[in-house]
Amino acid sequence: MKPFRILLLFLALLLTVSPALSACSRAETEPSSPETELPVPSDSDPEPEPEPEPEPEPEPEPEPEPEPEPEPEPEPEPEPEPEPEPEPEPEPEPEPEPEPIKEVPVRLVYSDPEQYALYLDEAITYAKTIHDLYWNSETCLSKLTPDGGTPYIWPFTEQSSMVNGILLAMDKDHPDRAYFEEYLRELLTGLRHYRVRRVAFDKKTESWNDPDNTLTAFGESDGTPHSYAIYAAGRQDNRVDSVIAKPEGIYFDDNIWVAKSFYYAWVNTGDIAYLNEATSIVNWILGEGRETAGALDGIYWNWGRKFKLPADAGDNNRASINTCSTSPTTMVLAKLVTAVSGTPLEGLRDGYLEAAVSLFDFCTDVFVDPSTKCLYDNITLKKGFDTETELKKQILRLDKNMYAYNTGTYLTAGAELYALLFADNPEKAEAVLSAALASAKGADNYFADRTVMKGQYSYPSHSWFTSFLVSGFADLAAYDEGCAEYEEHMRSALDFAWKYHRESDGLVSPAWIKGWSHFKGKTGINEDNPRQILYQSANAHSYAMLAQYYR
């Protein structure tokens, strides 16, 4: 039996191993047969021979898919011819860096539509009355009073200031704008009746001739400081630009009022001829009227007196540097600094600014009264002053009279220079503003009489002088509310005059609180008459300035 058991064990082993031997022909996913325990046969029972399990047929191997025929390789495209390398573009020049935006001082605004409309209407009504009473549109000339008379250039200029002031306050589409634009054109033509063609010295055959400077035709300029224009105190009624005058008949302060008129005419019309004329006048004032010897820096009053320095000369013949010529020249220079920028006259800008600052400082140091802070009137010069370096050795006498217009132009000059200097020289700007504000406070105290009428501020009867405080306070109020209070004092006085001192002919008393009685007995065709054109134009101009202030 032993060989037979061995045979059975061998067969069992073979059955166990055979699935592994045929693994190469089976699918890998087919599970193998589980192992079973075979029964052990006893010696007495013959073990039946087990039938062999049929071997599973091997799964057919999948036929390999035919490999795709290789696509024919594309013929190589011909390489493109290399393009010529572009020539390198020149590097653009770097754009200049924009100038930094300069800071400007914050301006306070006092806009009041109701007040604006009121004062503009009063100014228009008043100016039309003046046109009817004084003006001749055919000749472009004005009378001194409603009854006649010929005004010198100083009173004549205020009429153009009045109309310029109304146009400044008026909208472009205002129904009366064309009326006032024509009125202004006629006034500026009228000014040319005072324009100098030739300056005659003592001998009629001798004329002033300066090879370095030229008396230009009206409205022309070569854009340099060498273009001059001059206006005389008296006029030539029959022709324009034709006056022959002696230096004694030509005043530097008269000329700065003319320059002011042409400056504002340029602002209102944009006509460059008017700006050219303003700068030509200022060029002449700086060239012939400015004295800078030693410690001086001011403008003479009269051209002829500039040359007179005898030790025993009376005041009417002695050379003097006056506030009424120096301070308004400072004011107009400061305005022109901005006006000429961006024009063919721009080359004048730096010289104008430098002169304006220096003249303002001279006014501050010499003319400002330490106590009231208002400005004195003038200094007369010693003979030989031009060889001295100390101011006290140059001055013969200081005239301490104080007039409102000298302080008023100083206030406006300070406001203009503060705005100009604010960005580049803030320390100097603050010093200028501080000086101007001190004078504004002083002017409100000194020139306003509080004892005439309770609750009112009464100003001097010369309304043209006083009108410069109206403009000066308004200009400084843009930077200081205290000046707005001073402007309110003046507004109240002008309201009082319109309500109580306006006559049937439409004219208002130049003494705004005291009224017409202040001028008792002053009648006739002369400058003492309160109805003369200087006073009446200044009144109307003051209402126009209030309209601009409240716009």
Side-chain angles (χ1 to χ4, degrees), residues 396-415:
L396 179 65
R397 185 171 69 89
L398 172 63
D399 185 338
K400 293 188 176 182
N401 283 308
M402 290 180 281
Y403 303 106
Y405 74 139
N406 287 334
T407 300
T409 53
Y410 179 78
L411 303 183
T412 294

Side-chain angles (χ1 to χ4, degrees), residues 7 12 39 120 141 213 229 242 286 303 328 351 399 444 477 496 505 509 518:
L7 178 61
L120 181 59
L141 295 173
N213 304 289
S242 299
L286 293 177
W303 196 10
D399 185 338
D444 183 63
F496 189 92
D505 61 3
S509 170
H518 180 73

